[in-house]
Amino acid sequence: MASSASSFDSIPTCYATVSIGTPETPLDKKLEAIAGAGFQGIELGFPDLLSFASKGQNKEVQAQDFDTLCEVGREVKQLVEKNGLRIVMLQPFSNFEGWDEGSDGREDAFRRAKGWIRIMEAVGTDMLQVGSTDSPHALGDLDYLATDLRQLADLLAAKDFCLAYENWCWATHAPDWKDVWEIVQKVDRPNVGLCLDTFQTAGGEWADPTTASGLIEREGGLEALESQFRTSLDIMSRTIPSEKIYILQLSDAYKPKTPLDSKPDDSGLRPRGRWSSCLRPLPFDGGYLPVVDFTKAVLRTGFRGWFSMEVFDGGPEGSDQDWRDMKAYAKKAMASHKRLLEEAAES
């Protein structure tokens, strides 16, 4: 469907707490900056919850100390509401699906899932973001991955919660939107949909941080690359129902000044994962991905839900910022959101 500017008025705005300041930045200051820029909601980042809990408890709270995290989560809920915001989603829940039956990894995944659901209740959100696994130990059969996610969906459904499944472009088995959409269809649950992301798709299907050009290099050159990307976006627009898109995350990417090593680093993180961690600015702020084209394709599905800024902006060098003026950065993010909608409008 055509995307006219007048149809964008109802699109709600969101900002990920992990995308401003650092985990050590007081959460109340982050919320003040986000609310002051006019955003309506937040993605609550688990690192921010851990940091807030550790400061409040005067000790390092562990990631699976769910009793403490739930207690603190109720405080976070009040703090968010005080700033006139709502918690749209808890994120990022990672490396859940694909563990071998009976393995320690599978047992840990479901223990974490049940704990995070408790946290969702405490903070007052109904959506859990699940990133496609990047574990080298995950089994690659899509039916098997779907079975795990179906079980998670049923745990969430018992609380009237939903699951937003996101393709991470460095994932081991589901790096593309087509992969996660196929899995979501296999899961076949009404409370499971997609978290689409400008970086994850454009950074996976169009760009490559390991090449000198910053682009995927294939036979036919740039013309062939752009043709294939346009075809992918056209298929997405025509095949994904708008109601199965739960949220759209927005960011761009800096082209690395020196191509990244194509091999995983010592921690096992693949190059696109390293690229994602610190070289993702706001749209229109120094990046080079076709963010507008991807956004247009999502809007053509009829989606008018949450637009959420999720950036990891370490500057062109990836060395991070000093974050002395978070309020100005949040306002720049809102300006970026408005410009994106203007440029995505189709007559």
Side-chain angles (χ1 to χ4, degrees):
M1 63 180 292
S3 302
S4 62
S6 62
S7 72
F8 300 162
D9 294 342
S10 62
I11 291 176
T13 56
C14 181
Y15 198 110
T17 61
V18 292
S19 296
I20 193 165
T22 70
E24 287 70 44
T25 303
L27 183 59
D28 60 332
K29 299 301 182 185
K30 293 189 176 196
L31 297 176
E32 287 173 11
I34 292 168
F39 289 92
Q40 297 159 278
I42 63 164
E43 297 180 40
L44 178 60
F46 192 73
D48 287 311
L49 178 63
L50 275 177
S51 176
F52 185 82
S54 296
K55 290 173 183 175
Q57 300 290 315
N58 291 313
K59 65 176 184 179
E60 185 176 355
V61 175
Q62 300 301 309
Q64 295 199 25
D65 183 355
F66 296 120
D67 289 339
T68 299
L69 291 172
C70 287
E71 177 185 342
V72 171
R74 287 184 279 272
E75 297 178 33
V76 171
K77 180 177 185 288
Q78 293 178 352
L79 187 60
V80 170
E81 291 173 348
K82 179 182 175 183
N83 281 275
L85 298 164
R86 61 171 285 189
I87 300 175
V88 177
M89 182 166 72
L90 179 64
Q91 61 107 317
F93 193 62
S94 60
N95 291 336
F96 171 77
E97 73 277 26
W99 293 98
D100 201 5
E101 195 74 38
S103 66
D104 290 343
R106 182 178 177 81
E107 180 180 346
D108 176 72
F110 277 89
R111 181 169 57 248
R112 288 187 292 117
K114 292 171 183 176
W116 278 51
I117 290 171
R118 289 178 58 198
I119 292 170
M120 291 172 69
E121 286 188 281
V123 302
T125 189
D126 64 357
M127 184 154 59
L128 178 67
Q129 181 211 50
V130 179
S132 55
T133 183
D134 64 348
S135 170
H137 305 294
L139 303 179
D141 181 78
L142 297 191
D143 288 310
Y144 189 82
L145 300 177
T147 297
D148 283 350
L149 291 165
R150 191 178 304 116
Q151 292 182 50
L152 176 56
D154 291 344
L155 291 173
L156 289 161
K159 302 292 184 180
D160 290 325
F161 294 162
C162 64
L163 187 163
Y165 194 40
E166 179 181 8
N167 60 297
W168 285 352
C169 61
W170 61 92
T172 44
H173 303 299
D176 300 334
W177 73 261
K178 297 183 189 71
D179 301 318
V180 291
W181 175 229
E182 182 178 354
I183 292 170
V184 165
Q185 291 177 93
K186 288 176 179 292
V187 172
D188 193 24
R189 288 292 189 268
N191 66 326
V192 178
L194 297 173
C195 170
L196 294 178
D197 186 302
T198 56
F199 171 83
Q200 302 296 356
T201 292
E205 295 186 33
W206 187 84
D208 184 346
T210 70
T211 66
S213 67
L215 304 177
I216 294 173
E217 297 180 349
R218 56 166 52 95
E219 187 176 351
L222 180 60
E223 183 178 351
L225 174 65
E226 293 188 336
S227 175
Q228 184 168 342
F229 188 63
R230 283 194 303 269
T231 298
S232 175
L233 297 186
D234 181 59
I235 294 170
M236 183 180 71
S237 295
R238 291 186 288 104
T239 57
I240 301 179
S242 60
E243 65 271 15
K244 277 298 187 179
I245 303 172
Y246 289 171
I247 191 168
L248 172 63
Q249 294 179 324
L250 309 170
S251 67
D252 205 329
Y254 298 112
K255 176 185 170 183
K257 294 193 172 182
T258 302
L260 303 185
D261 190 330
S262 61
K263 297 178 182 177
D265 65 12
D266 291 341
S267 71
L269 189 61
R270 296 178 176 189
R272 282 186 170 90
R274 302 196 300 275
W275 188 33
S276 172
S277 67
C278 60
L279 289 167
R280 286 173 59 180
L282 300 166
F284 315 112
D285 199 28
Y288 73 112
L289 299 183
V291 172
V292 174
D293 290 340
F294 183 76
T295 303
K296 285 182 177 180
V298 173
L299 289 167
R300 281 197 293 269
T301 69
F303 174 75
R304 298 295 184 270
W306 290 99
F307 270 44
S308 184
M309 286 291 175
E310 191 206 33
V311 302
F312 298 97
D313 190 354
E317 304 289 344
S319 56
D320 213 351
Q321 303 193 27
D322 56 23
W323 294 109
R324 280 181 290 187
D325 197 346
M326 290 192 300
K327 291 183 178 180
Y329 193 90
K331 289 177 180 177
K332 184 166 68 169
M334 178 55 74
S336 172
H337 164 83
K338 291 178 179 177
R339 179 179 170 184
L340 180 60
L341 290 182
E342 290 173 0
E343 297 204 12
E346 298 176 337
S347 57

